[in-house]
Amino acid sequence: AQTVTQSQPEMSVQEAETVTLSCTYDTSESDYYLFWYKQPPSRQMILVIRQEAYKQQNATENRFSVNFQKAAKSFSLKISDSQLGDAAMYFCAYRRGNQFYFGTGTSLTVIP
Amino acid sequence: SAVISQKPSRDICQRGTSLTIQCQVDSQVTMMFWYRQQPGQSLTLIATANQGSEATYESGFVIDKFPISRPNLTFSTLTVSNMSPEDSSIYLCSATRGGRQPQHFGDGTRLSIL
């Protein structure tokens, strides 16, 4: 069974600093997709970044980047130059075919 | 990416009544999902809404309690039937196109049962 683990229920970061959120997953597959979602207090889940397992290059979207370690089944999210608007719950997700699995989330606080 | 409209955004309902939540996508999608989420918690998948056939329910969720319709490739409804306070939660609709695409989510429905 595929599972997604986020071991940090809560994290905090000073504004303008960098923070890394951890995610590990369990799979026996070689072809799959990984995502990070952000859910601010307004509730809507927003896609932050995605990574295809067959790509070795780490995905980057502006201040957001991932460290994808396929052998270690690790998919961490790095947020650079943190902003107050980055405060939210962050969910890691795995997709294989029609199956999606979400982690338990990390609540990120940004300290002014 | 797909834009998903979900309504109502919130409701307060009496015990024993039913509420239908609507989910409209601005383009055709292959899969639609319904989730339940307690504040500050992760998502729990209720079911996958299948176009033209019965929804596929996850363990712990049954059709009599959570009937789902999906009459076409852009629309689905979830009904929460015979509600009790335990059903108070946020209900999220999501959709995806096939293959490598992520899910996109509606704004959610915050449901409170008195």
Side-chain angles (χ1 to χ4, degrees):
Chain A
Q2 285 81 13
T3 59
V4 179
T5 302
Q6 293 180 248
S7 60
Q8 306 154 315
E10 298 179 345
M11 291 283 285
S12 62
V13 61
Q14 292 280 348
E15 194 175 3
E17 296 297 309
T18 295
V19 64
T20 298
L21 308 184
S22 300
C23 174
T24 59
Y25 55 95
D26 180 27
T27 185
S28 58
E29 306 293 340
S30 60
D31 184 21
Y32 51 87
Y33 304 91
L34 298 165
F35 310 96
W36 277 99
Y37 286 88
K38 170 186 176 180
Q39 188 179 37
S42 64
R43 190 166 75 233
Q44 185 178 27
M45 294 272 283
I46 302 166
L47 178 68
V48 174
I49 198 165
R50 71 181 76 180
Q51 175 80 43
E52 291 88 350
Y54 64 85
K55 289 186 177 179
Q56 292 185 334
Q57 185 175 7
N58 290 324
T60 299
E61 290 286 344
N62 300 314
R63 297 183 295 108
F64 298 87
S65 61
V66 300
N67 183 4
F68 173 49
Q69 301 291 327
K70 190 171 184 178
K73 299 178 185 177
S74 172
F75 181 60
S76 60
L77 174 69
K78 185 171 81 171
I79 306 174
S80 304
D81 185 25
S82 297
Q83 301 175 359
L84 295 178
D86 295 333
M89 283 285 287
Y90 287 81
F91 293 96
C92 177
Y94 166 104
R95 176 176 188 170
R96 163 67 180 171
N98 292 334
Q99 298 295 318
F100 286 85
Y101 301 89
F102 286 86
T104 51
T106 297
S107 177
L108 178 66
T109 299
V110 181
I111 303 167
Chain B
S1 62
V3 176
I4 300 176
S5 301
Q6 188 175 336
K7 60 181 181 181
S9 59
R10 61 174 63 230
D11 208 337
I12 301 172
C13 301
Q14 295 293 324
R15 185 193 301 251
T17 62
S18 298
L19 177 74
T20 296
I21 303 168
Q22 298 181 3
C23 181
Q24 178 73 55
V25 190
D26 68 340
S27 58
Q28 292 185 350
V29 291
T30 54
M31 303 182 73
M32 296 183 74
F33 304 91
W34 288 98
Y35 289 90
R36 187 166 70 183
Q37 183 184 32
Q38 296 295 337
Q41 303 296 316
S42 189
L43 289 73
T44 300
L45 181 63
I46 297 171
T48 301
N50 301 309
Q51 193 266 326
S53 64
E54 190 172 289
T56 304
Y57 289 85
E58 297 300 304
S59 176
F61 298 95
V62 296
I63 187 171
D64 289 346
K65 176 67 175 177
F66 297 100
I68 288 170
S69 77
R70 190 177 171 197
N72 55 51
L73 292 174
T74 63
F75 185 77
S76 179
T77 66
L78 167 73
T79 299
V80 185
S81 303
N82 188 25
M83 289 183 285
S84 66
E86 293 72 36
D87 295 320
S88 296
S89 190
I90 298 167
Y91 292 84
L92 291 163
C93 168
S94 73
T96 183
R97 299 185 180 95
R100 64 186 67 180
Q101 299 303 313
Q103 291 187 46
H104 297 282
F105 288 82
D107 285 346
T109 297
R110 183 180 292 272
L111 183 58
S112 299
I113 291 89
L114 303 179

